[in-house]
Amino acid sequence: METAITAVAGELLSRFISFTINKYCSSKGCLEEKGERLQRLLMRVHTVVEEADARHIANSGMLIQLKILSEAMYKGYLALDTLRFQLHEESSMDKVSDSFISISSATRLKRRRTILAPVNKGKNLYLEVNGALENLEKVVSDIAEFVVLLGGCERLSRRPYDAYLYIGNFMFGRHTEKQKLLNFLLEHNPDGATPVLPIVGGLAVGKKTLVAHVCADERIRSQFPSILHLNGDNFLSIVDHEKAILGMSSLVVVEFVSDVDDMEWKEFYSFVRRTNRRSKVVIISKLERLARFGSVRPIFLNALPYEELWYLFKILAFGSADPAEHPELVHIAERFAKELHMGGSLVAANALADVLRRNLNAQVWFCILNRCKKVIEKNLFAYGQQPKLLMEQGHEIDMTDFALTPVSPLRIIPCTSSGSSATYAPVKELPQMTIGELLLDPSVRPKGQFILLSWESRLPPYTSFIHFVSNCTEDSPEGTHLSRRKRRGVAL
């Protein structure tokens, strides 16, 4: 009797497993079909977004639609990459056959749990892919009118690095923000007033790069023969440039790292307006309260959404390699993007991608990922904040765990260079190493004080993101800050 019950139970279990496998395979085929549809829609939407980025769009409604298109596109790419990895990870399920019938009951139960997990996981994946697909289908259904109107927009001039050949050599994303800045600079001044546009955003989100990118347009350069770049320390020195800007349209770009006295601003603005009423002023700052000086609605640059950051990081990390040929690395890269979105920055994304791109090896990528996690956890425990926030505050950051075999504590103090002509001689003369060199070979770390270069932009204004490492970092008090004046003056 017991033998009969065991046989019946075994047969029922085998049928249940077969049913589960058939159901899974069926859903897998459905997912593959949806993946193909998703890829075709992404190709259409990407073509439109890229074309829109090469046009001058003055219509506010079209700018809103462009933002919706780009957001749907990046969400679609994320869903497609997740689907590809999942299908690769579960490809072994296709080889499952009736051989399960011959294995023991214990092994059957173990296999049953193994099979049910991906089935539940596949359900969540189905919902994610289906949501991205429906979102894209919705925006594509309204895209015809946008494309027609886009054809009437003036095409922007393109320089060689804007030809989308190398993603590291052109400004990624910010489609709507670029158009808004371009519209501000090209429109005529109302009533002879001098308009002021504030651009507000956190540390290293691309404020100066955005301005430099738009100012490189031929129409902007022809409309503003004089483009001045000033900083908050000496913005009143504009009076020294009176001869250069007198009688001609000028664009004055001022970067502030601290608040400004209202009387000083009034003096500055009166001078610019008196010199030439066709001039314009752009304010760059991370301080939202400086938006009070603006005469038009500010442009706020926030950190990239996760989907957009993931797309950028994947392209940077793989370079010329095809991510589809390295599905395991794509999965690791996605985990990098999650860590960067929570506590990293675009600078960190560029620096890490530059290192990963040199060695497409899963073990190496996992090792670097784990070290990044350790750095984040250690700073959260020591200071109660993510490294990204500590960086914005000029607070020291513990990077000891970043090195594979740290010989001594490594605590850095941010001192981002603006690429200006100002120099800080004692720092400039110090030895320098890149964060990539530190990651790959910690033994090359200089003795004593040195400069750690995390990233150097390939685009104007060619900002160098550097950090000061003292000789006795292990003895430095927690909470060390680099003085504001010293931070502004450092340049390489």
Side-chain angles (χ1 to χ4, degrees), residues 405-426:
T405 53
V407 294
S408 62
L410 177 67
R411 298 191 184 98
I412 65 174
I413 301 175
C415 45
T416 301
S417 166
S418 63
S420 63
S421 58
T423 57
Y424 185 77

Side-chain angles (χ1 to χ4, degrees), residues 255-273:
E255 180 185 3
F256 293 107
V257 296
S258 60
D259 203 359
V260 184
D261 181 76
D262 287 5
M263 293 303 296
E264 290 185 344
W265 173 261
K266 185 176 180 180
E267 180 182 350
F268 164 82
Y269 181 77
S270 298
F271 175 81
V272 175
R273 183 176 181 180

Side-chain angles (χ1 to χ4, degrees), residues 23-304:
K23 182 179 179 181
Y24 167 69
C25 291
S26 176
S27 63
K28 180 182 177 182
C30 181
L31 281 175
E32 289 177 341
E33 181 184 349
K34 286 184 177 293
E36 293 175 0
R37 289 171 57 196
L38 186 60
Q39 187 171 13
R40 290 194 297 269
L41 285 173
L42 281 170
M43 185 180 299
R44 292 180 61 187
V45 174
H46 199 144
T47 301
V48 175
V49 171
E50 186 172 319
E51 182 63 24
D53 204 37
R55 302 273 182 166
H56 176 205
I57 303 175
N59 186 293
S60 59
M62 290 183 67
L63 290 179
I64 294 174
Q65 193 166 359
L66 174 59
K67 186 175 182 64
I68 294 174
L69 279 172
S70 60
E71 289 176 350
M73 179 182 71
Y74 292 120
K75 289 179 180 178
Y77 275 122
L78 176 61
L80 183 61
D81 287 327
T82 305
L83 172 61
R84 284 173 172 171
F85 172 74
Q86 190 66 30
L87 293 176
H88 169 79
E89 187 182 44
E90 299 171 353
S91 60
S92 59
M93 297 298 296
D94 294 333
K95 302 176 182 178
V96 176
S97 64
D98 294 338
S99 59
F100 286 117
I101 299 176
S102 62
I103 58 180
S104 66
S105 299
T107 307
R108 287 174 188 156
L109 291 173
K110 183 178 180 181
R111 179 63 67 180
R112 174 172 172 254
R113 290 192 295 267
T114 305
I115 294 173
L116 288 178
V119 168
N120 292 330
K121 194 173 183 180
K123 182 179 179 181
N124 295 331
L125 179 61
Y126 177 86
L127 294 175
E128 181 181 349
V129 172
N130 201 54
L133 189 58
E134 289 179 355
N135 193 22
L136 274 173
E137 288 175 340
K138 183 178 180 180
V139 297
V140 167
S141 65
D142 301 328
I143 208 173
E145 183 181 22
F146 180 83
V147 172
V148 172
L149 293 173
L150 192 63
C153 297
E154 183 181 359
R155 180 174 291 278
L156 301 175
S157 60
R158 290 288 182 183
R159 289 169 297 161
Y161 72 69
D162 287 323
Y164 293 85
L165 296 176
Y166 306 98
I167 196 166
N169 288 340
F170 75 91
M171 184 175 183
F172 173 79
R174 306 297 188 194
H175 309 289
T176 306
E177 291 84 357
K178 285 185 283 188
Q179 295 287 349
K180 287 181 178 179
L181 178 56
L182 187 64
N183 292 338
F184 168 78
L185 296 177
L186 291 178
E187 66 184 7
H188 296 290
N189 294 357
D191 303 325
T194 300
V196 180
L197 170 65
I199 299 178
V200 182
L203 179 68
V205 297
K207 300 183 294 295
K208 289 179 290 186
T209 303
L210 172 65
V211 174
H213 180 84
V214 174
C215 287
D217 187 272
E218 291 181 359
R219 289 176 301 169
I220 301 300
R221 286 181 292 177
S222 62
Q223 181 160 324
F224 298 102
S226 173
I227 300 179
L228 297 178
H229 295 269
L230 307 172
N231 61 61
D233 283 341
N234 60 2
F235 75 106
L236 290 179
S237 66
I238 190 173
V239 296
D240 300 331
H241 302 276
E242 182 174 5
K243 292 182 179 179
I245 65 177
L246 187 64
M248 66 173 63
S249 299
S250 300
L251 173 59
V252 183
V253 182
V254 192
E255 180 185 3
F256 293 107
V257 296
S258 60
D259 203 359
V260 184
D261 181 76
D262 287 5
M263 293 303 296
E264 290 185 344
W265 173 261
K266 185 176 180 180
E267 180 182 350
F268 164 82
Y269 181 77
S270 298
F271 175 81
V272 175
R273 183 176 181 180
R274 184 174 64 253
T275 305
N276 194 306
R277 293 181 179 271
R278 293 175 297 170
S279 298
K280 294 181 186 290
V281 178
V282 173
I283 295 175
I284 298 176
S285 180
K286 66 177 182 179
L287 304 175
E288 191 171 338
R289 58 182 175 271
L290 286 177
R292 69 183 187 274
F293 297 132
S295 62
V296 298
R297 182 175 298 179
I299 294 178
F300 292 100
L301 285 187
N302 300 315
L304 291 179

Side-chain angles (χ1 to χ4, degrees), residues 343-362:
S345 64
L346 286 175
V347 175
N350 276 283
L352 287 171
D354 188 54
V355 176
L356 298 177
R357 189 169 55 247
R358 304 177 193 178
N359 194 338
L360 300 179
N361 180 279

Side-chain angles (χ1 to χ4, degrees), residues 269-487:
Y269 181 77
S270 298
F271 175 81
V272 175
R273 183 176 181 180
R274 184 174 64 253
T275 305
N276 194 306
R277 293 181 179 271
R278 293 175 297 170
S279 298
K280 294 181 186 290
V281 178
V282 173
I283 295 175
I284 298 176
S285 180
K286 66 177 182 179
L287 304 175
E288 191 171 338
R289 58 182 175 271
L290 286 177
R292 69 183 187 274
F293 297 132
S295 62
V296 298
R297 182 175 298 179
I299 294 178
F300 292 100
L301 285 187
N302 300 315
L304 291 179
Y306 169 66
E307 297 85 2
E308 197 166 346
L309 177 63
W310 155 240
Y311 181 85
L312 171 63
F313 185 76
K314 180 187 68 172
I315 299 300
L316 291 174
F318 284 94
S320 59
D322 184 3
E325 297 179 0
H326 307 274
E328 186 178 1
L329 293 183
V330 172
H331 182 58
I332 302 174
E334 185 177 355
R335 295 172 63 180
F336 267 108
K338 289 179 179 177
E339 295 293 333
L340 289 167
H341 186 251
M342 289 188 295
S345 64
L346 286 175
V347 175
N350 276 283
L352 287 171
D354 188 54
V355 176
L356 298 177
R357 189 169 55 247
R358 304 177 193 178
N359 194 338
L360 300 179
N361 180 279
Q363 187 176 358
V364 173
W365 284 33
F366 261 126
C367 180
I368 296 176
L369 175 62
N370 290 331
R371 280 189 266 172
C372 291
K373 288 182 176 180
K374 288 181 180 179
V375 169
I376 294 174
E377 291 171 358
K378 194 166 192 176
N379 283 278
L380 279 172
F381 179 78
Y383 306 117
Q385 288 184 322
Q386 294 273 6
K388 178 181 179 180
L389 295 177
L390 296 174
M391 186 87 64
E392 291 181 355
Q393 298 166 7
H395 198 291
E396 77 169 11
I397 302 171
D398 193 333
M399 298 283 291
T400 307
D401 291 319
F402 211 53
L404 182 61
T405 53
V407 294
S408 62
L410 177 67
R411 298 191 184 98
I412 65 174
I413 301 175
C415 45
T416 301
S417 166
S418 63
S420 63
S421 58
T423 57
Y424 185 77
V427 173
K428 186 177 181 180
E429 295 172 357
L430 290 175
Q432 175 181 307
M433 71 177 300
T434 67
I435 204 165
E437 293 170 337
L438 180 66
L439 263 173
L440 298 175
D441 186 7
S443 64
V444 301
R445 172 180 174 176
K447 295 181 179 179
Q449 299 177 340
F450 68 95
I451 290 298
L452 183 65
L453 174 64
S454 60
W455 182 249
E456 187 172 14
S457 172
R458 298 190 183 102
L459 295 178
Y462 304 108
T463 304
S464 298
F465 297 92
I466 62 176
H467 315 290
F468 174 73
V469 183
S470 66
N471 187 24
C472 301
T473 50
E474 62 271 24
D475 298 324
S476 62
E478 289 189 2
T480 301
H481 288 68
L482 192 65
S483 70
R484 180 179 297 161
R485 184 167 298 278
K486 184 176 179 180
R487 287 179 64 204

